[in-house]
Amino acid sequence: MSVTNMAQVAVATEAVKAETDGRTRLSPEYTKDTALNRVAAFIPSEAVAVYLALWAFIDPRAAVAKWTVFGVGLVLVIAFYLLAYLQRRRAVTSGGGDSPARSLRVTLLLLLFAMVAFTAWAAAMPGNPFTQFGDGAMKVGGGAIIVLGVLLPRVADVLGLSEV
């Protein structure tokens, strides 16, 4: 489950509690499926968590540190996808069960989607390393999120892939 989905669950839980407590109900905007949510669904939440945590340890003016944190996040996206595939494969082979839920081809395609999604997501964040190329980097990242939010789920559906 992505960080965004977890946040939505938390907000929805608060909305239900608010109704039972007689407080004002939260806006239904919190439960809408946004482009950011659809893109974030392809990114392992653990990679996002580590990426955001590492930002606390760097100098926001140091370009090398920003690119290092971005690189670590991208490597973690790859690592989490491949580890999840290997875990499923090992569980199947050691348990004598059915074939893995996803083939290596599907995993690699989803990994490609995740890498593109992570890059766009990182580019949409304030102070991202892409800002060294120009002040419009965040706008480009935000635009990429909108386009990918529409495109990635549809391409995944056409290719017969399931979300993360």
Side-chain angles (χ1 to χ4, degrees):
M1 178 178 280
S2 72
V3 172
T4 307
N5 290 342
M6 291 177 69
Q8 284 183 329
V9 169
V11 169
T13 303
E14 286 298 318
V16 170
K17 287 180 182 177
E19 279 184 3
T20 59
D21 293 346
R23 295 182 293 171
T24 306
R25 181 173 163 77
L26 293 175
S27 166
E29 295 294 317
Y30 287 108
T31 59
K32 288 190 177 177
D33 191 24
T34 64
L36 182 59
N37 293 349
R38 284 177 269 168
V39 171
F42 287 94
I43 307 169
S45 56
E46 300 88 348
V48 171
V50 171
Y51 176 82
L52 293 175
L54 289 177
W55 276 100
F57 297 105
I58 67 166
D59 178 2
R61 297 170 303 231
V64 172
K66 289 180 181 183
W67 283 109
T68 301
V69 169
F70 173 75
V72 167
L74 199 56
V75 166
L76 287 175
V77 167
I78 296 166
F80 286 126
Y81 263 87
L82 294 180
L83 286 172
Y85 172 78
L86 293 173
Q87 281 180 313
R88 281 192 294 271
R89 185 178 169 144
R90 183 171 184 220
V92 167
T93 57
S94 66
D98 296 332
S99 61
R102 288 190 194 127
S103 69
L104 182 58
R105 180 189 76 82
V106 170
T107 300
L108 291 176
L109 282 171
L110 286 172
L111 172 59
L112 177 65
F113 282 20
M115 292 169 60
V116 169
F118 179 79
T119 302
W121 175 83
M125 293 290 142
N128 68 69
F130 299 100
T131 55
Q132 85 178 54
F133 300 124
D135 294 335
M138 262 181 48
K139 291 179 184 177
V140 171
I145 290 291
I146 293 168
V147 171
L148 291 173
V150 172
L151 193 62
L152 283 181
R154 289 181 186 207
V155 172
D157 188 46
V158 167
L159 295 176
L161 307 175
S162 61
E163 281 190 359
V164 181

